[in-house]
Amino acid sequence: AVVSTQSGHYGRGIEHQVSTRSNYLAFCDLHQYASCSRVLSSKYAKGFGIIGPLLGDESPLNQPNCLFGIVFFLFYLTLDSVAQKFIVIQLKFTLSASSLVMSLYLAYILAFVLIDLCLVCLATYAVNFGLAAPAFENYFSALDKRRKIAEKND
């Protein structure tokens, strides 16, 4: 999660540089079809390409995806420091599942709509999948423990 928070900050920096400097070339701009700058300045880089068309480009919810990612990962890190009660485990499971759905959606946009490659994006997807595995394992393990306790009490 720390890596993705840093990746999100780097992505925000790219977005800012692209919007202020027309000739900006990011470190992750490797090729014509591997350009973080192009991806992070596309219409899909804000509000996931969904919020703007639905609520308007000026909506306070239409923020850069990198900002959503930073907030998401900071919140996720905060949950790691909280006692692992079932509600926290459920929340991490739900957050991980939603991050996987969004990663698949954005990977589809990246590959089939923008036809591009973004290393910052790929790193974020990898972290999302990496966080999901233990979150899913903890959730199903906690469910199993709760079932066993319930069976004992019956």
Side-chain angles (χ1 to χ4, degrees), residues 24-88:
Y24 179 73
L25 187 65
F27 178 71
C28 54
D29 289 344
L30 304 175
H31 186 270
Q32 177 183 355
Y33 295 108
S35 172
C36 294
S37 301
R38 191 169 42 252
V39 172
L40 294 173
S41 62
S42 76
K43 69 180 183 178
Y44 298 99
K46 248 183 139 179
F48 307 104
I50 300 169
I51 296 173
L54 289 178
L55 303 177
D57 289 337
E58 301 305 315
S59 169
L61 296 176
N62 195 31
Q63 297 297 318
N65 297 352
C66 291
L67 184 59
F68 284 115
I70 292 167
V71 170
F72 171 84
F73 290 114
L74 288 175
F75 183 61
Y76 204 93
L77 280 170
T78 302
L79 290 176
D80 280 343
S81 66
V82 176
Q84 293 299 302
K85 297 186 184 237
F86 189 66
I87 189 73
V88 174

Side-chain angles (χ1 to χ4, degrees), residues 37-149:
S37 301
R38 191 169 42 252
V39 172
L40 294 173
S41 62
S42 76
K43 69 180 183 178
Y44 298 99
K46 248 183 139 179
F48 307 104
I50 300 169
I51 296 173
L54 289 178
L55 303 177
D57 289 337
E58 301 305 315
S59 169
L61 296 176
N62 195 31
Q63 297 297 318
N65 297 352
C66 291
L67 184 59
F68 284 115
I70 292 167
V71 170
F72 171 84
F73 290 114
L74 288 175
F75 183 61
Y76 204 93
L77 280 170
T78 302
L79 290 176
D80 280 343
S81 66
V82 176
Q84 293 299 302
K85 297 186 184 237
F86 189 66
I87 189 73
V88 174
I89 293 169
Q90 284 179 311
L91 184 56
K92 287 175 77 173
F93 171 79
T94 304
L95 287 170
S96 291
S98 64
S99 77
L100 292 181
V101 169
M102 291 310 294
S103 291
L104 291 172
Y105 163 73
L106 291 171
Y108 172 84
I109 296 296
L110 188 64
F112 299 108
V113 176
L114 298 175
I115 310 170
D116 215 325
L117 179 68
C118 171
L119 297 179
V120 172
C121 305
L122 294 178
T124 303
Y125 307 156
V127 170
N128 285 342
F129 279 91
L131 288 175
F136 281 45
E137 182 180 337
N138 290 342
Y139 176 72
F140 290 113
S141 175
L143 274 181
D144 192 43
K145 285 178 188 174
R146 288 174 71 101
R147 266 192 221 109
K148 288 178 182 175
I149 291 170

Side-chain angles (χ1 to χ4, degrees), residues 8-21:
H9 282 292
Y10 181 68
R12 287 285 295 139
I14 292 172
E15 290 170 345
H16 174 73
Q17 292 294 334
V18 168
S19 69
T20 58
R21 295 174 44 199

